[in-house]
Amino acid sequence: GQQLVFSNTYHLMLHPGSETIQAAGGIHAFTNRRDRPFITDSGGFQVFSLAYGSVQEELSSKGNKSELKRSSVKSNRGCSSMGKDAVKVSEEGVTFRSYRDGSKFLLTPESTVDAQKEIGADIIIPLDELPPYHIERQKLVESVDRSHRWEARSLQQHLKNVQQQAMFCVIHGGIDVELRTKSVNYLTSLPFDGYGIGGSLGNGRQELKDLLEWMMPLLDEGEHRYNKPRHLLGIADEESIRNAVTKGIDTLDSAYPTRLGRHGTLLTRDGHIRMKSGKHKHSFGQKICEGCNCKTCQQYDRAYMWHLFKASEPLGIQLAALHNIHYMNDLMADLRKDIMEDKI
């Protein structure tokens, strides 16, 4: 099964509330997943996406979205609480309105750490600002500096009551070499337990690849950097994963596999299969993915999956998500095996 589950603090704070999860005994007890770790984010990505569009698009979208996590300016469709006025940033933190009922929230470095303490994740992430890909450099400089101050405050709050939790920093700077290097040097000087690579990661796979190519060696400089885990935030398409692992990334997260599944796209070793295509209507007895031993592939054929998606049956989404998650776990198992056999 899944080794590490990434849970969304923003959504958990809005419902059921971090205090409710704490009352249940923490997220391990709440989900009855007691033997494997959880990681939670700060909620910052989702909050800033209210202004830049990613959360709004995810809530209202009926089509496929970009495979790379980046904040690009979108139209202000959907809930009236979204758009450029939905988020107000100050040195204290960020004020936003809930997409559920429009109520106002103030998220600070301290409050997001407290919420993650209540949730009880094993790895927590400090509050950071996520500027869009296209941004004036001076504003990016200001954003990186603000994120550094917020992350330092988050770390101070965390260290008051560690609770056997680890905290990873989030390295920022967009694709700017000087700012990324500055962020690496500052954040690795603080006693974080691991390093997250976040912010705008480029406008496509090639820019991400180029970014990791020159940046990852910086995290190998000195034993205090080399021995700590590195997590790539928001990336999980197969091509980018294969590249990231060869550059020294240890863990990754993304909604990519389940998002594809919701829209009827299944992952296979031979490429993507779009189950809504009419060519699958009579694919009786044809497995989704040969050699896959997930429950979806073992029990259902392509014709039945086509029917579920064409009929808008929720079961189709569930079965597709199960398959795609299983596929990604098989992919990562193969990569770990290649590492152990010195093929990577």
Side-chain angles (χ1 to χ4, degrees), residues 238-281:
E238 186 167 347
E239 180 182 335
S240 296
I241 285 176
R242 291 186 181 278
N243 174 66
V245 169
T246 62
K247 300 298 186 295
I249 292 294
D250 299 302
T251 54
L252 313 94
D253 75 89
S254 177
Y256 170 78
T258 49
R259 182 185 297 121
L260 285 184
R262 286 199 299 276
H263 299 303
T265 299
L266 277 70
L267 301 168
T268 77
R269 295 182 184 274
D270 297 320
H272 293 183
I273 298 177
R274 290 168 176 83
M275 296 311 308
K276 295 180 181 180
S277 172
K279 67 181 181 180
H280 300 301
K281 182 177 181 178

Side-chain angles (χ1 to χ4, degrees), residues 50 56 82 110 112 148 180 200 264 268 274 300 303 344:
L50 292 174
Q56 178 183 355
M82 297 181 183
E110 293 78 16
T112 185
H148 286 172
R180 279 280 174 184
S200 176
T268 77
R274 290 168 176 83
Y300 306 103
I344 296 179

Side-chain angles (χ1 to χ4, degrees), residues 1-8 12 26-29 31-41 116 119-124 163-168 229 231 250-253 329 336:
Q2 193 73 29
Q3 292 184 332
L4 175 65
V5 170
F6 199 107
S7 297
N8 192 299
L12 293 177
I27 194 166
H28 295 83
T31 60
N32 198 29
R33 187 180 186 271
R34 302 171 186 271
D35 61 340
R36 296 189 181 186
F38 282 88
I39 179 172
T40 47
D41 61 2
Q116 292 180 82
I119 292 168
D122 302 277
I123 302 170
I124 63 178
Q163 293 184 184
Q164 295 184 311
Q165 293 172 304
M167 176 176 276
F168 287 12
H231 181 92
D250 299 302
T251 54
L252 313 94
D253 75 89
N329 276 301
R336 289 193 297 273

Side-chain angles (χ1 to χ4, degrees), residues 179-190:
L179 292 179
R180 279 280 174 184
T181 303
K182 172 184 176 180
S183 192
V184 168
N185 289 338
Y186 174 71
L187 293 172
T188 58
S189 72
L190 302 178

